[in-house]
């Protein structure tokens, strides 16, 4: 079907060129004596059009394969243009052989000796102009496709990065929890048993949220309370923890396990003892969740890697433009994380990728439909033009039927590709053949 479509395009372009040339000749006072003369001129014109179009189209296809995604780089473009000129000249020479030797019966040696560069000027200029138009069109389309490809790569990279950040939580969380459990086994075996039970519940939540990008605020706060119950087992009454009594929107979203990381950091970097109680407060204000703790740094503290805070910041950065704000003074340390409602501005990479993919597929489909309808409209418009030219030529037969049917053949090929219909190999035939081959394999 591709060759039929290409021939249809060539026929369409040739018809347009022929009509323009006839109009120019008509204005300059040149008239065809009869319909036969007009038909011969049209046939020669279409021969030039089809061969030149196919030669340049398949040469351009060769360029796309040879320089994938790099055809329009300066070096490759120059090669392509020089090659295109050579292909055009060779095609014109072949056409001249067909018309002069094959059709008019001129001896080949006589043809070669009498051949002049003047015979190529007009055809070459027309071919170059049309080829330049097609190159410009493909350049624009290639540029748009490159932009789309880059966006998809960015989205794919962001998605992979987001997954990597989520996967960091498992070993990080388990490592710290096991350290706590090790301490409890030595200090208080009974508390270690309770801790193990609570730890299983906490880790189950971690596993459940592993593949989620957002969870409800209500779920995350319940998990934070469960996690703090683990710390209370170890530190008893040395931690004072409070959460909002009422939520403005319990179904709003936050990044899963973000509170766990912040609570863990608070305990990790501060002294926690009966004489120096650690106060951790979670409050909700103006669409922001604020986690605050008093500062009482440990005397001996390993250098912080900043993994927890960096993780939260990067995960939010991949989801929304709303920032994670960190503030600190002599008495308090606080982190404000955005509460994401249904109307928040999403930058979710996987959703962007999927929605963009669907949009591009629909856009490509609409683009195909649009060009088919444009092609059909031009065809319908030129039918009466061709008939009118047939009438004013005073021909003794309806020669206009030849270009109409030839062009119509191209329109049918275009429709077949646009609507994915093949009268020779239907979908039912394909399915039947697949089942048949599968049966043979079995």
């Amino acid at each position: 079907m591709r060759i039929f479509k290409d021939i249809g395009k060539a026929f369409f372009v040739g018809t347009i060129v022929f009509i323009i040339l006839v109009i120019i000749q008509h204005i300059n006072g040149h008239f065809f004596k009869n319909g036969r003369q007009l038909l011969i001129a049209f046939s020669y014109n279409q021969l030039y059009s089809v061969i030149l179009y196919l030669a340049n189209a398949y040469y351009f296809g060769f360029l796309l394969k040879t320089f994938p995604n790099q055809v329009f780089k300066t070096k490759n473009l120059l090669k392509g243009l020089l090659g295109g000129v050579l292909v055009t000249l060779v095609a014109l020479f072949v056409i001249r052989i067909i018309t002069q030797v094959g059709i008019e019966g001129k001896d080949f040696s006589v043809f070669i000796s009498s051949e002049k560069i003047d015979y190529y000027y007009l055809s070459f200029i027309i071919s170059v102009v049309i080829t330049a138009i097609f190159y410009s069109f493909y350049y624009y389309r290639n540029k748009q496709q490159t932009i789309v490809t880059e966006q998809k790569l960015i989205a794919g990279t962001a998605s992979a990065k987001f997954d990597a950040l989520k996967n960091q939580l498992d070993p990080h969380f388990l490592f710290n929890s096991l350290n706590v459990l090790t301490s409890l086994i030595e200090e208080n075996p009974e508390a270690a048993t309770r801790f193990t039970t609570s730890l299983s519940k906490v880790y189950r939540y971690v596993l459940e949220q592993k593949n989620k990008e957002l969870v409800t605020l209500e779920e995350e706060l319940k998990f934070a309370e469960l996690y703090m119950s683990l710390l209370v087992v170890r530190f008893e009454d040395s931690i004072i923890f409070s959460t909002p009594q009422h939520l403005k929107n319990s179904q709003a979203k936050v990044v899963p396990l973000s509170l766990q990381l912040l609570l863990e950091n608070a305990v990790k970097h501060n002294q926690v003892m009966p004489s120096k109680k650690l106060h951790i407060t979670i409050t909700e204000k103006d669409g922001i969740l604020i986690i605050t703790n008093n500062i009482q740094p440990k005397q001996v503290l390993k250098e912080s890697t900043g993994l927890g805070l960096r993780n939260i910041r990067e995960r939010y950065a991949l989801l929304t433009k709303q920032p994670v704000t960190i503030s600190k003074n002599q008495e308090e340390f606080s982190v404000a994380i955005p509460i994401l409602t249904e109307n928040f501005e999403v930058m979710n990479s996987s959703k962007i990728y999927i929605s963009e993919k669907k949009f591009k597929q629909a856009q490509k489909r609409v683009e195909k439909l649009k060009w088919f309808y444009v092609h059909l409209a031009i065809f319908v418009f030129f039918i009466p033009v061709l008939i009118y030219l047939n009438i004013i030529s005073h021909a003794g037969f309806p020669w206009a039927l030849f270009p109409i049917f030839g062009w119509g053949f191209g329109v049918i090929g275009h429709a077949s590709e646009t609507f994915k219909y093949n009268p020779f190999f239907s979908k039912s035939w394909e399915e039947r053949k697949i089942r048949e081959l599968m049966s043979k394999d079995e």
Side-chain angles (χ1 to χ4, degrees):
M1 295 307 296
R2 183 188 171 187
I3 187 67
F4 293 149
K5 183 185 174 185
D6 286 336
I7 291 173
K9 287 181 179 178
F11 206 92
F12 166 70
V13 172
T15 303
I16 298 297
V17 171
F18 181 72
I19 291 171
I20 292 171
L21 291 175
V22 167
I23 292 172
I24 293 172
Q25 290 175 351
H26 190 79
I27 292 172
N28 292 326
H30 177 77
F31 302 96
F32 291 100
K33 295 178 181 179
N34 50 53
R36 182 175 179 278
Q37 192 181 58
L38 183 63
L39 180 60
I40 291 172
F42 177 77
S43 300
Y44 273 86
N45 181 86
Q46 294 307 92
L47 178 65
Y48 273 79
S49 176
V50 170
I51 294 177
L52 286 170
Y53 183 94
L54 292 179
N56 281 282
Y58 285 94
Y59 173 70
F60 188 72
F62 166 76
L63 290 177
L64 291 176
K65 290 180 180 178
T66 307
F67 309 112
N69 302 319
Q70 296 181 337
V71 173
F72 294 102
K73 286 191 173 182
T74 306
K75 185 179 178 180
N76 297 334
L77 184 60
L78 289 174
K79 290 180 181 177
L81 291 174
L82 291 173
V85 169
L86 183 61
V87 166
T88 300
L89 290 174
V90 171
L92 286 172
F93 182 70
V94 171
I95 294 169
R96 291 281 300 168
I97 293 174
I98 294 171
T99 56
Q100 297 297 308
V101 179
I103 297 175
E104 297 185 10
K106 187 181 291 186
D107 185 75
F108 185 75
S109 59
V110 174
F111 162 74
I112 294 295
S113 61
S114 62
E115 200 68 359
K116 296 179 181 180
I117 194 69
D118 296 348
Y119 300 148
Y120 295 82
Y121 279 148
L122 181 61
S123 301
F124 181 76
I125 291 171
I126 293 173
S127 178
V128 167
V129 170
I130 293 172
T131 303
I133 292 171
F134 275 93
Y135 265 68
S136 301
F137 169 76
Y138 277 107
Y139 172 75
Y140 173 78
R141 194 173 74 169
N142 178 266
K143 189 175 181 181
Q144 296 303 312
Q145 288 176 344
T146 301
I147 293 171
V148 171
T149 302
E150 287 175 354
Q151 292 302 315
K152 285 182 178 180
L153 286 173
I154 291 169
T157 302
S159 180
K161 185 177 180 182
F162 190 87
D163 289 339
L165 289 170
K166 286 194 294 185
N167 291 333
Q168 286 177 9
L169 297 174
D170 292 341
H172 186 66
F173 172 75
L174 185 60
F175 176 77
N176 285 283
S177 298
L178 290 177
N179 276 343
V180 174
L181 182 59
T182 301
S183 301
L184 281 177
I185 289 172
E186 296 176 358
E187 297 171 8
N188 189 340
E190 185 178 341
T193 303
R194 294 195 303 271
F195 184 90
T196 304
T197 303
S198 298
L199 177 61
S200 67
K201 294 179 182 178
V202 169
Y203 205 73
R204 182 183 303 157
Y205 179 85
V206 173
L207 294 175
E208 287 173 351
Q209 309 310 321
K210 178 180 175 64
N211 295 320
K212 294 182 181 178
E213 293 173 346
L214 293 171
V215 294
T216 63
L217 180 58
E218 185 178 27
E219 285 180 299
E220 187 68 5
L221 283 173
K222 285 182 179 179
F223 169 71
E225 292 171 357
L226 179 62
Y227 177 73
M228 288 305 298
S229 70
L230 290 179
L231 299 181
V232 169
V233 170
R234 180 184 176 189
F235 297 104
E236 297 179 348
D237 60 348
S238 299
I239 295 179
I240 299 175
F241 176 67
S242 63
T243 59
Q245 296 298 316
H246 301 285
L247 297 173
K248 293 180 181 178
N249 185 357
S250 61
Q251 297 305 305
K253 307 290 185 179
V254 292
V255 167
L257 304 175
S258 54
L259 293 182
Q260 180 268 327
L261 282 172
L262 295 173
L263 296 173
E264 184 180 25
N265 271 357
V267 174
K268 177 182 177 182
H269 297 294
N270 292 282
Q271 298 181 61
V272 184
M273 57 185 68
S275 60
K276 288 188 176 182
K277 294 183 179 182
L278 180 65
H279 295 262
I280 303 176
T281 306
I282 299 177
T283 57
E284 181 187 12
K285 182 182 179 182
D286 299 328
I288 295 173
L289 200 64
I290 304 171
I291 301 86
T292 306
N293 65 270
N294 57 320
I295 296 177
Q296 39 193 36
K298 290 181 178 180
Q299 298 300 319
V300 179
L301 181 66
K302 292 182 180 179
E303 186 178 352
S304 174
T305 61
L307 176 65
L309 290 176
R310 186 168 66 251
N311 187 300
I312 294 172
R313 272 182 158 169
E314 289 181 357
R315 290 172 69 195
Y316 266 102
L318 292 170
L319 291 166
T320 178
K321 291 182 179 179
Q322 299 180 48
V324 172
T325 306
I326 299 172
S327 57
K328 181 180 179 181
N329 55 37
Q330 292 182 345
E331 298 179 354
E332 287 185 340
F333 178 84
S334 65
V335 178
I337 60 176
I339 299 174
L340 309 175
T341 62
E342 293 180 356
N343 298 320
F344 79 100
E345 187 174 1
V346 180
M347 292 174 60
N348 183 321
S349 58
S350 61
K351 290 180 180 177
I352 287 175
Y353 181 80
I354 292 170
S355 61
E356 184 185 68
K357 189 175 181 181
K358 289 180 178 178
F359 173 75
K360 290 300 175 184
Q361 287 176 341
Q363 189 181 47
K364 190 175 180 181
R365 175 74 176 153
V366 170
E367 191 73 12
K368 282 187 174 182
L369 287 170
K370 182 182 75 175
W371 282 113
F372 168 71
Y373 289 129
V374 168
H375 187 183
L376 181 62
I378 294 173
F379 172 64
V380 171
F381 172 78
F382 274 104
I383 287 175
V385 174
L386 290 168
I387 293 172
Y388 172 73
L389 290 173
N390 195 161
I391 294 171
I392 65 172
S393 67
H394 303 293
F397 64 98
W399 59 263
L401 293 177
F402 290 95
I404 290 173
F405 280 113
W407 192 349
F409 184 72
V411 171
I412 292 171
H414 195 170
S416 175
E417 186 195 36
T418 302
F419 297 102
K420 296 180 179 179
Y421 172 74
N422 191 321
F424 304 105
F425 304 104
S426 62
K427 284 289 182 183
S428 60
W429 178 86
E430 289 179 1
E431 292 171 1
R432 188 169 64 252
K433 201 65 180 175
I434 289 169
R435 287 196 298 269
E436 181 185 326
L437 293 173
M438 287 176 67
S439 299
K440 285 183 179 180
D441 290 339
E442 289 174 2

